[in-house]
Structure formats: C-alpha cells, structure tokens
Amino acid sequence: MLKFINYDIVFQEIPGETTLAINLSNCPNRCKGCHSPYLMEDKGVILDENILTALLGKYGQAITCVCFMGGDAAPEEVQRLAIFTRKTTHGRLKTAWYSGKQDFPAQCSPLNFDYVKLGPYIEGLGGLDSPKTNQRLYFIENGKMTDISYNFRKKAMNI
C-alpha cells in the first residue's frame, strides 16, 4: 500500500516535462541529509486508482508526466500505478519514478516507466545537479535505459 503526503506540478524533476510529482511516504532508505525527511514517516492518504484518477482528471491536460517520488517500500505498487496511468491515459502521459535504491528492483520492469531516477542521496556527493553525484536519471526507450543525468548539470552551470 502506498501513501502520499502531497503533490505538486513541477518543471525540474524530469527534463522537458510538466510533471505531476506525487510525494510518497514511508521511505525506507533513511538517507543522511535527506531534503524531505518527513517522507520517512508512514503517514498520509492511501494512493490508489481512485485518487490517481481524480488527480489525473484535475491536471490531465496541463501535465505530460506523472512522477512517483519514492515508494521504495512497495515497488510493485509504484509499478502497478504507473501501468494504470499509461492505460488510463492511453499512453499520453509519461511515467517516472524517483527511487532512492541503487538498483532497479528485480521484481519490476523498467519497461513500465519512461524515466527512472536511481541512487540514494549521499550528502557528500549531492543530488542530480552535482558533478560528483552517485544518482542517475535514466530515459527508457525500447527497453534501453539511457543516462540523461547530464541535463541537470547543464542547468546548474547556466545559473
């Protein structure tokens, strides 16, 4: 079961996409220096097909992507809702998952996502905009995962 704390429309999490980012709680990773430690708690509203359908109805034409921020405690549920999103929107919306795990879960398939961010936050290495980061954002197309993390470093250098 997935629970979410909040959501927002964001423009920086997935390059080139207007993204509905849903912040999932009960994060098991406990990364030191986490920017959202409140997501470590098991609280919030259950995220199911009905809630997701309501969110898609509210923002459907304004967004191009749905990103599940977290959900590492229930990866099969994240995958199930990503599949539901694609099916419900007839593939119009892309799906993304920000995972704090180092590797993609064996019980899931990257084919069910268009983007996946992997890697725990390591305070000394920074996030995706840091040239030292261990985190990677992948674009998935035809079963191939292509690292597109460089997009974040380009943006950081232009600021």
Side-chain angles (χ1 to χ4, degrees):
M1 169 176 52
L2 292 175
K3 294 180 185 174
F4 73 102
I5 300 291
N6 54 23
Y7 58 88
D8 203 357
I9 305 299
V10 298
F11 302 96
Q12 293 183 355
E13 303 296 342
I14 304 296
E17 304 291 346
T18 303
T19 303
L20 172 63
I22 304 172
N23 290 311
L24 303 171
S25 64
N26 199 24
C27 180
N29 298 320
R30 309 291 190 258
C31 301
K32 181 181 178 200
C34 174
H35 64 55
S36 303
Y38 65 95
L39 294 177
M40 294 178 193
E41 299 176 43
D42 184 9
K43 62 181 185 177
V45 177
I46 293 174
L47 182 61
D48 60 14
E49 289 87 346
N50 292 329
I51 297 289
L52 188 53
T53 298
L55 290 172
L56 295 177
K58 184 175 182 179
Y59 297 107
Q61 296 305 313
I63 60 173
T64 60
C65 184
V66 174
C67 185
F68 301 96
M69 307 292 286
D72 289 323
E76 293 98 339
E77 287 294 302
V78 174
Q79 176 174 258
R80 185 177 62 76
L81 290 176
I83 293 168
F84 175 81
T85 299
R86 282 185 168 175
K87 184 177 179 182
T88 301
T89 66
H90 307 287
R92 187 187 70 76
L93 292 180
K94 294 181 178 136
T95 58
W97 181 15
Y98 261 48
S99 170
K101 295 293 185 184
Q102 188 61 46
D103 299 306
F104 197 85
Q107 68 270 37
C108 296
S109 171
L111 297 175
N112 294 310
F113 300 90
D114 296 287
Y115 301 93
V116 174
K117 192 270 311 172
L118 294 173
Y121 178 73
I122 298 175
E123 203 168 19
L125 300 179
L128 283 170
D129 60 348
S130 169
K132 299 187 305 182
T133 190
N134 62 301
Q135 297 180 322
R136 296 288 179 261
L137 180 68
Y138 297 97
F139 173 64
I140 303 165
E141 187 174 45
N142 299 322
K144 182 180 179 200
M145 293 177 68
T146 303
D147 187 344
I148 61 168
S149 306
Y150 65 88
N151 285 297
F152 292 92
R153 290 186 287 284
K154 282 183 185 177
K155 287 179 187 176
M157 291 169 47
N158 291 332
I159 294 176

